Amino acid sequence: MRINILQHTPNERPGLIKTWAKKNQHEVYIYHPQQFHIFPEINETDFLIILGGPISVNDPLTWLTNERRLIKTALKKQIPILGICLGAQQISKVLGAKVIPGQVKEVGWAPVYLREQLIAGLPEKLDVLHWHEEVFKLPDQAKLLFSSKLTQNQAFVYQQNVIGLQFHLEPTADNLREIVINDQDYIKRSALKQTAAEILTHQVPEQNKAAMFTILDYLAANQ
């Protein structure tokens, strides 16, 4: 299977997604649409993954519009899609939902809670990395998967082959360090009130790897 990944910023990498792909002997191609304005061909895409980034989906940028065009085509062709943070917001926008400022800025480690058992094997609670200010409205026909105490819409499932995650399960310990040291100014004014040092010293839970693999297995099975 060919997995095409859209990476929007150097310090938010695929992390555990690449670990899962290697374990299952899938090919991974990483595109950098903001930097190079190149997108995968839809007929060369078995699985589309859209990562996070510091941009707002509401910014008037041509490459964001082109990315949504790709997502729309993938939806029509029923290609499995995983969106993380900005990626989830892009999917939501394509599905007609709004992306708006959240009630608070949520940056750091905090739990999310399962709202409905839509995917076998996911736990009732996960301790995950948050790195966002804007949030997505739940698209029509999508089902809410996870919520946190500060943000209701933390994850959704749409038509069994599309998942959007506002939070991050994909970072390894190395990825976490890269995110924090390069974007630590963003931590300011977070409602979670964690310092960069506190975020860095928080170990990435092994449970997150299991949950990430469970979600990827679920989407791959619907390929």
Side-chain angles (χ1 to χ4, degrees):
M1 181 168 68
R2 174 167 170 155
I3 303 171
N4 288 331
I5 299 175
L6 306 184
Q7 182 178 329
H8 302 113
T9 185
N11 65 316
E12 292 191 32
R13 301 180 187 272
L16 291 171
I17 295 168
K18 285 187 71 176
T19 306
W20 174 86
K22 184 176 181 180
K23 174 178 178 285
N24 290 281
Q25 298 183 315
H26 299 311
E27 292 183 337
V28 172
Y29 291 78
I30 300 176
Y31 294 77
H32 301 267
Q34 184 177 15
Q35 184 177 1
F36 299 115
H37 303 277
I38 295 172
F39 291 90
E41 296 292 333
I42 200 67
N43 60 0
E44 296 179 344
T45 305
D46 299 312
F47 191 166
L48 180 64
I49 298 177
I50 309 112
L51 300 179
I55 316 95
S56 169
V57 300
N58 298 312
D59 289 341
L61 300 171
T62 301
W63 70 265
L64 279 173
T65 302
N66 292 339
E67 182 170 285
R68 288 194 291 273
R69 189 176 294 120
L70 175 66
I71 294 168
K72 186 175 182 179
T73 304
L75 286 167
K76 286 181 178 178
K77 291 187 174 291
Q78 298 185 320
I79 293 169
I81 308 173
L82 172 64
I84 297 173
C85 202
L86 174 67
Q89 294 171 0
Q90 281 280 70
I91 296 169
S92 299
K93 191 168 177 116
V94 170
L95 292 173
K98 290 183 178 181
V99 175
I100 61 173
Q103 292 186 349
V104 295
K105 186 179 187 181
E106 198 171 14
V107 184
W109 292 94
V112 291
Y113 303 91
L114 194 68
R115 295 296 299 269
E116 188 175 352
Q117 188 58 265
L118 302 170
I119 301 171
L122 287 179
E124 294 291 325
K125 177 183 174 183
L126 285 165
D127 186 19
V128 301
L129 180 67
H130 302 269
W131 210 270
H132 70 95
E133 259 180 292
E134 294 189 322
V135 296
F136 55 78
K137 293 280 191 178
L138 194 66
D140 289 344
Q141 301 180 38
K143 295 182 178 179
L144 187 60
L145 184 62
F146 279 101
S147 297
S148 70
K149 289 182 178 178
L150 298 177
T151 303
Q152 180 179 0
N153 296 333
Q154 282 283 0
F156 66 84
V157 178
Y158 177 80
Q159 293 187 350
Q160 296 189 316
N161 67 336
V162 179
I163 293 176
L165 306 176
Q166 183 59 67
F167 54 86
H168 296 267
L169 285 173
E170 78 282 4
T172 64
D174 287 344
N175 298 146
L176 175 65
R177 287 190 283 270
E178 190 172 10
I179 290 168
V180 175
I181 64 171
N182 288 290
D183 199 20
Q184 56 188 294
D185 281 349
Y186 189 69
I187 300 167
K188 296 172 183 176
R189 299 180 302 280
S190 166
L192 297 177
K193 300 187 184 305
Q194 296 170 18
T195 65
E198 288 169 334
I199 296 171
L200 278 171
T201 54
H202 188 294
Q203 290 195 349
V204 177
E206 188 65 25
Q207 191 179 38
N208 290 8
K209 178 180 178 180
M212 185 81 268
F213 280 25
T214 295
I215 289 169
L216 292 166
D217 286 341
Y218 170 85
L219 288 170
N222 287 291
Q223 186 261 331

